[in-house]
Amino acid sequence: MAIERTLSIIKPDAVAKNVIGQIYSRFEQAGLKIIAAKMLHVSREQAEAFYGVHRERPFFGELVDFMISGPVMVQVLEGENAVALHRDLMGATDPKKAAPGTIRADFASSIDENAVHGSDAPETAKAEIDFFFSAAEICPRTR
Ligand code: RTP
Ligand code: MG
């Protein structure tokens, strides 16, 4: 299986619930390595660009307002099959449909405030990593 990188965001609702560490533990227990991380307050322009693929969807305005409602924690995760593995750990977009034990089942409140984001394919992962991180901010493990 290929070593991949994926972009993870702990969204404002989960930061407010003070569960960054619990979510990081799930990544680590699954064998994913955090090779870059930062907390930031996303601007409206950044949120609109990041979720630009959803611009025409009815929930776009609420999604942008939510993503700028408080700080987020953004990280690059690396590991075997990282993109799909991370999506499995997250669970379904709607927490009511998320499998027990997934991050969204345990920490998300609703489909709008659903705790985490994860890239959905290796190609989008590369674009999303480049959106938030310069090459110098990424620290691959040497040991
Ligand atoms: P994400 O991009 O945040 O990782 O979530 P996802 O792939 O599971 O879901 P996606 O279809 O990409 O939707 C992006 C975010 O938009 C909000 N959403 N609301 N009200 C709705 O029907 C609806 N559908 C999507 C969610 O916050 C979702 O995470
Ligand atoms: Mg998505």
Side-chain angles (χ1 to χ4, degrees):
M1 202 98 58
I3 299 290
E4 292 176 345
R5 292 178 180 180
T6 193
L7 185 86
S8 153
I9 304 177
I10 301 178
K11 294 182 179 182
D13 59 325
V15 173
K17 284 180 181 162
N18 213 25
V19 292
I20 294 170
Q22 292 188 62
I23 293 173
Y24 271 20
S25 289
R26 293 180 183 214
F27 298 154
E28 292 176 342
Q29 281 163 12
L32 292 168
K33 293 172 179 165
I34 298 163
I35 61 166
K38 60 181 155 192
M39 183 175 273
L40 73 159
H41 205 126
V42 175
S43 69
R44 180 169 292 280
E45 293 68 30
Q46 279 178 308
E48 288 176 351
F50 185 79
Y51 278 119
V53 66
H54 295 309
R55 194 172 291 274
E56 305 304 324
R57 307 282 284 278
F59 56 80
F60 182 70
E62 282 173 29
L63 174 59
V64 169
D65 285 346
F66 166 58
M67 289 301 289
I68 67 174
S69 66
V72 299
M73 195 77 202
V74 187
Q75 40 284 322
V76 179
L77 307 177
E78 186 175 75
E80 280 191 11
N81 201 25
V83 173
L85 173 56
H86 180 224
R87 298 282 296 189
D88 286 347
L89 296 174
M90 289 165 51
T93 309
D94 181 351
K96 292 200 288 288
K97 297 177 183 156
T102 59
I103 293 168
R104 281 170 166 162
D106 291 343
F107 301 124
S109 319
S110 68
I111 192 168
D112 298 307
E113 303 207 352
N114 63 0
V116 284
H117 162 84
S119 308
D120 58 14
E123 304 73 46
T124 47
K126 181 170 186 340
E128 291 181 357
I129 291 167
D130 290 347
F131 187 92
F132 281 109
F133 293 96
S134 68
E137 291 176 307
I138 298 174
C139 307
R141 300 291 166 80
T142 53
R143 49 182 288 182

PDB file of all heavy atoms in Angstrom, residues 82-113:
ATOM      1  N   ALA A  82      -3.357   6.823   3.656  1.00  0.00           N
ATOM      2  CA  ALA A  82      -3.773   7.852   4.616  1.00  0.00           C
ATOM      3  C   ALA A  82      -5.108   8.501   4.261  1.00  0.00           C
ATOM      4  O   ALA A  82      -5.902   8.802   5.163  1.00  0.00           O
ATOM      5  CB  ALA A  82      -2.687   8.919   4.731  1.00  0.00           C
ATOM      6  N   VAL A  83      -5.380   8.722   2.990  1.00  0.00           N
ATOM      7  CA  VAL A  83      -6.594   9.453   2.614  1.00  0.00           C
ATOM      8  C   VAL A  83      -7.829   8.662   3.041  1.00  0.00           C
ATOM      9  O   VAL A  83      -8.709   9.177   3.745  1.00  0.00           O
ATOM     10  CB  VAL A  83      -6.612   9.748   1.099  1.00  0.00           C
ATOM     11  CG1 VAL A  83      -7.946  10.351   0.684  1.00  0.00           C
ATOM     12  CG2 VAL A  83      -5.464  10.679   0.718  1.00  0.00           C
ATOM     13  N   ALA A  84      -7.902   7.400   2.624  1.00  0.00           N
ATOM     14  CA  ALA A  84      -9.079   6.576   2.944  1.00  0.00           C
ATOM     15  C   ALA A  84      -9.119   6.220   4.433  1.00  0.00           C
ATOM     16  O   ALA A  84     -10.197   6.203   5.043  1.00  0.00           O
ATOM     17  CB  ALA A  84      -9.071   5.312   2.097  1.00  0.00           C
ATOM     18  N   LEU A  85      -7.945   5.940   5.012  1.00  0.00           N
ATOM     19  CA  LEU A  85      -7.912   5.610   6.441  1.00  0.00           C
ATOM     20  C   LEU A  85      -8.465   6.771   7.267  1.00  0.00           C
ATOM     21  O   LEU A  85      -9.280   6.582   8.184  1.00  0.00           O
ATOM     22  CB  LEU A  85      -6.470   5.277   6.860  1.00  0.00           C
ATOM     23  CG  LEU A  85      -6.210   5.080   8.350  1.00  0.00           C
ATOM     24  CD1 LEU A  85      -7.092   4.002   8.950  1.00  0.00           C
ATOM     25  CD2 LEU A  85      -4.736   4.751   8.594  1.00  0.00           C
ATOM     26  N   HIS A  86      -8.028   7.990   6.929  1.00  0.00           N
ATOM     27  CA  HIS A  86      -8.504   9.170   7.658  1.00  0.00           C
ATOM     28  C   HIS A  86     -10.009   9.347   7.485  1.00  0.00           C
ATOM     29  O   HIS A  86     -10.731   9.645   8.446  1.00  0.00           O
ATOM     30  CB  HIS A  86      -7.727  10.396   7.157  1.00  0.00           C
ATOM     31  CG  HIS A  86      -8.115  11.677   7.808  1.00  0.00           C
ATOM     32  ND1 HIS A  86      -8.309  12.828   7.095  1.00  0.00           N
ATOM     33  CD2 HIS A  86      -8.374  11.975   9.111  1.00  0.00           C
ATOM     34  CE1 HIS A  86      -8.656  13.792   7.938  1.00  0.00           C
ATOM     35  NE2 HIS A  86      -8.706  13.313   9.149  1.00  0.00           N
ATOM     36  N   ARG A  87     -10.518   9.123   6.265  1.00  0.00           N
ATOM     37  CA  ARG A  87     -11.975   9.227   6.044  1.00  0.00           C
ATOM     38  C   ARG A  87     -12.721   8.181   6.893  1.00  0.00           C
ATOM     39  O   ARG A  87     -13.794   8.452   7.414  1.00  0.00           O
ATOM     40  CB  ARG A  87     -12.307   9.038   4.559  1.00  0.00           C
ATOM     41  CG  ARG A  87     -11.723  10.076   3.622  1.00  0.00           C
ATOM     42  CD  ARG A  87     -12.443  11.383   3.595  1.00  0.00           C
ATOM     43  NE  ARG A  87     -13.797  11.319   3.110  1.00  0.00           N
ATOM     44  CZ  ARG A  87     -14.526  12.413   2.856  1.00  0.00           C
ATOM     45  NH1 ARG A  87     -14.020  13.633   3.044  1.00  0.00           N
ATOM     46  NH2 ARG A  87     -15.759  12.301   2.435  1.00  0.00           N
ATOM     47  N   ASP A  88     -12.142   6.991   7.013  1.00  0.00           N
ATOM     48  CA  ASP A  88     -12.769   5.960   7.854  1.00  0.00           C
ATOM     49  C   ASP A  88     -12.821   6.406   9.323  1.00  0.00           C
ATOM     50  O   ASP A  88     -13.822   6.207  10.007  1.00  0.00           O
ATOM     51  CB  ASP A  88     -11.997   4.640   7.767  1.00  0.00           C
ATOM     52  CG  ASP A  88     -12.212   3.922   6.441  1.00  0.00           C
ATOM     53  OD1 ASP A  88     -13.134   4.314   5.696  1.00  0.00           O
ATOM     54  OD2 ASP A  88     -11.449   2.979   6.156  1.00  0.00           O
ATOM     55  N   LEU A  89     -11.723   6.988   9.797  1.00  0.00           N
ATOM     56  CA  LEU A  89     -11.695   7.449  11.188  1.00  0.00           C
ATOM     57  C   LEU A  89     -12.716   8.560  11.424  1.00  0.00           C
ATOM     58  O   LEU A  89     -13.313   8.647  12.500  1.00  0.00           O
ATOM     59  CB  LEU A  89     -10.295   7.970  11.553  1.00  0.00           C
ATOM     60  CG  LEU A  89      -9.147   6.962  11.544  1.00  0.00           C
ATOM     61  CD1 LEU A  89      -7.826   7.694  11.776  1.00  0.00           C
ATOM     62  CD2 LEU A  89      -9.344   5.892  12.603  1.00  0.00           C
ATOM     63  N   MET A  90     -12.914   9.420  10.394  1.00  0.00           N
ATOM     64  CA  MET A  90     -13.856  10.541  10.521  1.00  0.00           C
ATOM     65  C   MET A  90     -15.298  10.073  10.614  1.00  0.00           C
ATOM     66  O   MET A  90     -16.096  10.627  11.364  1.00  0.00           O
ATOM     67  CB  MET A  90     -13.724  11.472   9.309  1.00  0.00           C
ATOM     68  CG  MET A  90     -12.445  12.274   9.278  1.00  0.00           C
ATOM     69  SD  MET A  90     -12.151  12.996   7.632  1.00  0.00           S
ATOM     70  CE  MET A  90     -13.688  13.796   7.295  1.00  0.00           C
ATOM     71  N   GLY A  91     -15.683   9.106   9.784  1.00  0.00           N
ATOM     72  CA  GLY A  91     -17.083   8.683   9.698  1.00  0.00           C
ATOM     73  C   GLY A  91     -17.856   9.539   8.708  1.00  0.00           C
ATOM     74  O   GLY A  91     -17.340  10.496   8.137  1.00  0.00           O
ATOM     75  N   ALA A  92     -19.130   9.192   8.526  1.00  0.00           N
ATOM     76  CA  ALA A  92     -19.955   9.847   7.513  1.00  0.00           C
ATOM     77  C   ALA A  92     -20.154  11.330   7.815  1.00  0.00           C
ATOM     78  O   ALA A  92     -20.108  11.754   8.972  1.00  0.00           O
ATOM     79  CB  ALA A  92     -21.302   9.151   7.431  1.00  0.00           C
ATOM     80  N   THR A  93     -20.396  12.106   6.746  1.00  0.00           N
ATOM     81  CA  THR A  93     -20.575  13.562   6.857  1.00  0.00           C
ATOM     82  C   THR A  93     -21.641  13.911   7.899  1.00  0.00           C
ATOM     83  O   THR A  93     -21.459  14.833   8.691  1.00  0.00           O
ATOM     84  CB  THR A  93     -20.996  14.126   5.482  1.00  0.00           C
ATOM     85  OG1 THR A  93     -20.083  13.665   4.496  1.00  0.00           O
ATOM     86  CG2 THR A  93     -21.020  15.639   5.498  1.00  0.00           C
ATOM     87  N   ASP A  94     -22.764  13.174   7.860  1.00  0.00           N
ATOM     88  CA  ASP A  94     -23.849  13.392   8.826  1.00  0.00           C
ATOM     89  C   ASP A  94     -23.600  12.512  10.046  1.00  0.00           C
ATOM     90  O   ASP A  94     -23.616  11.283   9.940  1.00  0.00           O
ATOM     91  CB  ASP A  94     -25.180  13.006   8.169  1.00  0.00           C
ATOM     92  CG  ASP A  94     -26.369  13.232   9.099  1.00  0.00           C
ATOM     93  OD1 ASP A  94     -26.154  13.517  10.289  1.00  0.00           O
ATOM     94  OD2 ASP A  94     -27.507  13.121   8.617  1.00  0.00           O
ATOM     95  N   PRO A  95     -23.361  13.100  11.214  1.00  0.00           N
ATOM     96  CA  PRO A  95     -23.015  12.265  12.383  1.00  0.00           C
ATOM     97  C   PRO A  95     -24.085  11.251  12.743  1.00  0.00           C
ATOM     98  O   PRO A  95     -23.772  10.218  13.337  1.00  0.00           O
ATOM     99  CB  PRO A  95     -22.797  13.290  13.500  1.00  0.00           C
ATOM    100  CG  PRO A  95     -23.400  14.556  13.023  1.00  0.00           C
ATOM    101  CD  PRO A  95     -23.362  14.534  11.529  1.00  0.00           C
ATOM    102  N   LYS A  96     -25.330  11.522  12.359  1.00  0.00           N
ATOM    103  CA  LYS A  96     -26.393  10.533  12.641  1.00  0.00           C
ATOM    104  C   LYS A  96     -26.162   9.249  11.849  1.00  0.00           C
ATOM    105  O   LYS A  96     -26.639   8.183  12.229  1.00  0.00           O
ATOM    106  CB  LYS A  96     -27.770  11.118  12.295  1.00  0.00           C
ATOM    107  CG  LYS A  96     -28.190  12.262  13.209  1.00  0.00           C
ATOM    108  CD  LYS A  96     -29.701  12.495  13.190  1.00  0.00           C
ATOM    109  CE  LYS A  96     -30.199  13.108  11.910  1.00  0.00           C
ATOM    110  NZ  LYS A  96     -29.851  14.519  11.738  1.00  0.00           N
ATOM    111  N   LYS A  97     -25.431   9.355  10.736  1.00  0.00           N
ATOM    112  CA  LYS A  97     -25.153   8.182   9.896  1.00  0.00           C
ATOM    113  C   LYS A  97     -23.733   7.650  10.099  1.00  0.00           C
ATOM    114  O   LYS A  97     -23.343   6.658   9.475  1.00  0.00           O
ATOM    115  CB  LYS A  97     -25.350   8.541   8.419  1.00  0.00           C
ATOM    116  CG  LYS A  97     -26.781   8.934   8.102  1.00  0.00           C
ATOM    117  CD  LYS A  97     -26.928   9.350   6.641  1.00  0.00           C
ATOM    118  CE  LYS A  97     -28.355   9.812   6.359  1.00  0.00           C
ATOM    119  NZ  LYS A  97     -28.441  10.709   5.215  1.00  0.00           N
ATOM    120  N   ALA A  98     -22.970   8.299  10.948  1.00  0.00           N
ATOM    121  CA  ALA A  98     -21.570   7.904  11.154  1.00  0.00           C
ATOM    122  C   ALA A  98     -21.501   6.657  12.030  1.00  0.00           C
ATOM    123  O   ALA A  98     -22.237   6.528  13.013  1.00  0.00           O
ATOM    124  CB  ALA A  98     -20.803   9.057  11.789  1.00  0.00           C
ATOM    125  N   ALA A  99     -20.612   5.735  11.667  1.00  0.00           N
ATOM    126  CA  ALA A  99     -20.475   4.478  12.420  1.00  0.00           C
ATOM    127  C   ALA A  99     -20.024   4.761  13.854  1.00  0.00           C
ATOM    128  O   ALA A  99     -19.256   5.707  14.100  1.00  0.00           O
ATOM    129  CB  ALA A  99     -19.466   3.567  11.716  1.00  0.00           C
ATOM    130  N   PRO A 100     -20.482   3.927  14.795  1.00  0.00           N
ATOM    131  CA  PRO A 100     -20.052   4.101  16.194  1.00  0.00           C
ATOM    132  C   PRO A 100     -18.526   4.083  16.294  1.00  0.00           C
ATOM    133  O   PRO A 100     -17.864   3.316  15.594  1.00  0.00           O
ATOM    134  CB  PRO A 100     -20.661   2.883  16.899  1.00  0.00           C
ATOM    135  CG  PRO A 100     -21.789   2.435  16.045  1.00  0.00           C
ATOM    136  CD  PRO A 100     -21.407   2.783  14.626  1.00  0.00           C
ATOM    137  N   GLY A 101     -18.005   4.924  17.162  1.00  0.00           N
ATOM    138  CA  GLY A 101     -16.562   4.951  17.369  1.00  0.00           C
ATOM    139  C   GLY A 101     -15.808   5.850  16.410  1.00  0.00           C
ATOM    140  O   GLY A 101     -14.605   6.037  16.564  1.00  0.00           O
ATOM    141  N   THR A 102     -16.503   6.418  15.411  1.00  0.00           N
ATOM    142  CA  THR A 102     -15.825   7.364  14.518  1.00  0.00           C
ATOM    143  C   THR A 102     -15.810   8.750  15.169  1.00  0.00           C
ATOM    144  O   THR A 102     -16.568   9.032  16.106  1.00  0.00           O
ATOM    145  CB  THR A 102     -16.523   7.434  13.150  1.00  0.00           C
ATOM    146  OG1 THR A 102     -17.885   7.837  13.336  1.00  0.00           O
ATOM    147  CG2 THR A 102     -16.482   6.089  12.441  1.00  0.00           C
ATOM    148  N   ILE A 103     -14.926   9.603  14.643  1.00  0.00           N
ATOM    149  CA  ILE A 103     -14.772  10.950  15.220  1.00  0.00           C
ATOM    150  C   ILE A 103     -16.093  11.709  15.142  1.00  0.00           C
ATOM    151  O   ILE A 103     -16.514  12.355  16.113  1.00  0.00           O
ATOM    152  CB  ILE A 103     -13.648  11.704  14.480  1.00  0.00           C
ATOM    153  CG1 ILE A 103     -12.296  11.042  14.770  1.00  0.00           C
ATOM    154  CG2 ILE A 103     -13.632  13.174  14.871  1.00  0.00           C
ATOM    155  CD1 ILE A 103     -11.160  11.513  13.866  1.00  0.00           C
ATOM    156  N   ARG A 104     -16.765  11.629  13.996  1.00  0.00           N
ATOM    157  CA  ARG A 104     -18.012  12.399  13.872  1.00  0.00           C
ATOM    158  C   ARG A 104     -19.119  11.805  14.750  1.00  0.00           C
ATOM    159  O   ARG A 104     -19.918  12.552  15.326  1.00  0.00           O
ATOM    160  CB  ARG A 104     -18.427  12.477  12.407  1.00  0.00           C
ATOM    161  CG  ARG A 104     -17.610  13.536  11.652  1.00  0.00           C
ATOM    162  CD  ARG A 104     -17.818  13.461  10.167  1.00  0.00           C
ATOM    163  NE  ARG A 104     -17.304  14.652   9.475  1.00  0.00           N
ATOM    164  CZ  ARG A 104     -17.055  14.689   8.167  1.00  0.00           C
ATOM    165  NH1 ARG A 104     -17.265  13.605   7.417  1.00  0.00           N
ATOM    166  NH2 ARG A 104     -16.604  15.779   7.614  1.00  0.00           N
ATOM    167  N   ALA A 105     -19.174  10.490  14.885  1.00  0.00           N
ATOM    168  CA  ALA A 105     -20.186   9.905  15.774  1.00  0.00           C
ATOM    169  C   ALA A 105     -19.978  10.398  17.198  1.00  0.00           C
ATOM    170  O   ALA A 105     -20.939  10.660  17.920  1.00  0.00           O
ATOM    171  CB  ALA A 105     -20.116   8.380  15.711  1.00  0.00           C
ATOM    172  N   ASP A 106     -18.730  10.546  17.604  1.00  0.00           N
ATOM    173  CA  ASP A 106     -18.444  10.868  18.999  1.00  0.00           C
ATOM    174  C   ASP A 106     -18.396  12.368  19.286  1.00  0.00           C
ATOM    175  O   ASP A 106     -18.694  12.788  20.400  1.00  0.00           O
ATOM    176  CB  ASP A 106     -17.110  10.231  19.420  1.00  0.00           C
ATOM    177  CG  ASP A 106     -17.215   8.708  19.501  1.00  0.00           C
ATOM    178  OD1 ASP A 106     -18.354   8.202  19.554  1.00  0.00           O
ATOM    179  OD2 ASP A 106     -16.175   8.038  19.502  1.00  0.00           O
ATOM    180  N   PHE A 107     -18.011  13.200  18.290  1.00  0.00           N
ATOM    181  CA  PHE A 107     -17.764  14.613  18.589  1.00  0.00           C
ATOM    182  C   PHE A 107     -18.582  15.597  17.763  1.00  0.00           C
ATOM    183  O   PHE A 107     -18.595  16.790  18.086  1.00  0.00           O
ATOM    184  CB  PHE A 107     -16.274  14.938  18.405  1.00  0.00           C
ATOM    185  CG  PHE A 107     -15.365  14.124  19.280  1.00  0.00           C
ATOM    186  CD1 PHE A 107     -14.340  13.355  18.730  1.00  0.00           C
ATOM    187  CD2 PHE A 107     -15.519  14.121  20.657  1.00  0.00           C
ATOM    188  CE1 PHE A 107     -13.491  12.608  19.536  1.00  0.00           C
ATOM    189  CE2 PHE A 107     -14.680  13.370  21.473  1.00  0.00           C
ATOM    190  CZ  PHE A 107     -13.663  12.608  20.912  1.00  0.00           C
ATOM    191  N   ALA A 108     -19.236  15.166  16.669  1.00  0.00           N
ATOM    192  CA  ALA A 108     -19.971  16.119  15.826  1.00  0.00           C
ATOM    193  C   ALA A 108     -21.379  16.322  16.375  1.00  0.00           C
ATOM    194  O   ALA A 108     -21.978  15.404  16.945  1.00  0.00           O
ATOM    195  CB  ALA A 108     -20.031  15.615  14.394  1.00  0.00           C
ATOM    196  N   SER A 109     -21.905  17.537  16.171  1.00  0.00           N
ATOM    197  CA  SER A 109     -23.257  17.850  16.647  1.00  0.00           C
ATOM    198  C   SER A 109     -24.289  17.681  15.542  1.00  0.00           C
ATOM    199  O   SER A 109     -25.439  17.348  15.810  1.00  0.00           O
ATOM    200  CB  SER A 109     -23.316  19.294  17.132  1.00  0.00           C
ATOM    201  OG  SER A 109     -22.182  19.637  17.846  1.00  0.00           O
ATOM    202  N   SER A 110     -23.912  17.969  14.284  1.00  0.00           N
ATOM    203  CA  SER A 110     -24.875  17.980  13.185  1.00  0.00           C
ATOM    204  C   SER A 110     -24.113  17.883  11.871  1.00  0.00           C
ATOM    205  O   SER A 110     -22.875  17.949  11.854  1.00  0.00           O
ATOM    206  CB  SER A 110     -25.671  19.289  13.209  1.00  0.00           C
ATOM    207  OG  SER A 110     -24.800  20.371  12.885  1.00  0.00           O
ATOM    208  N   ILE A 111     -24.853  17.758  10.771  1.00  0.00           N
ATOM    209  CA  ILE A 111     -24.194  17.701   9.461  1.00  0.00           C
ATOM    210  C   ILE A 111     -23.467  19.016   9.170  1.00  0.00           C
ATOM    211  O   ILE A 111     -22.478  19.035   8.432  1.00  0.00           O
ATOM    212  CB  ILE A 111     -25.198  17.350   8.343  1.00  0.00           C
ATOM    213  CG1 ILE A 111     -24.465  17.005   7.043  1.00  0.00           C
ATOM    214  CG2 ILE A 111     -26.211  18.452   8.123  1.00  0.00           C
ATOM    215  CD1 ILE A 111     -25.340  16.370   5.982  1.00  0.00           C
ATOM    216  N   ASP A 112     -23.930  20.113   9.747  1.00  0.00           N
ATOM    217  CA  ASP A 112     -23.284  21.411   9.516  1.00  0.00           C
ATOM    218  C   ASP A 112     -22.057  21.578  10.405  1.00  0.00           C
ATOM    219  O   ASP A 112     -21.034  22.106   9.972  1.00  0.00           O
ATOM    220  CB  ASP A 112     -24.275  22.541   9.786  1.00  0.00           C
ATOM    221  CG  ASP A 112     -25.467  22.478   8.851  1.00  0.00           C
ATOM    222  OD1 ASP A 112     -25.241  22.421   7.631  1.00  0.00           O
ATOM    223  OD2 ASP A 112     -26.608  22.456   9.344  1.00  0.00           O
ATOM    224  N   GLU A 113     -22.180  21.144  11.660  1.00  0.00           N
ATOM    225  CA  GLU A 113     -21.071  21.300  12.610  1.00  0.00           C
ATOM    226  C   GLU A 113     -20.548  19.899  12.892  1.00  0.00           C
ATOM    227  O   GLU A 113     -20.908  19.268  13.889  1.00  0.00           O
ATOM    228  CB  GLU A 113     -21.562  22.003  13.879  1.00  0.00           C
ATOM    229  CG  GLU A 113     -22.186  23.359  13.563  1.00  0.00           C
ATOM    230  CD  GLU A 113     -22.099  24.359  14.694  1.00  0.00           C
ATOM    231  OE1 GLU A 113     -21.689  23.973  15.815  1.00  0.00           O
ATOM    232  OE2 GLU A 113     -22.412  25.525  14.451  1.00  0.00           O
TER     233      GLU A 113
END
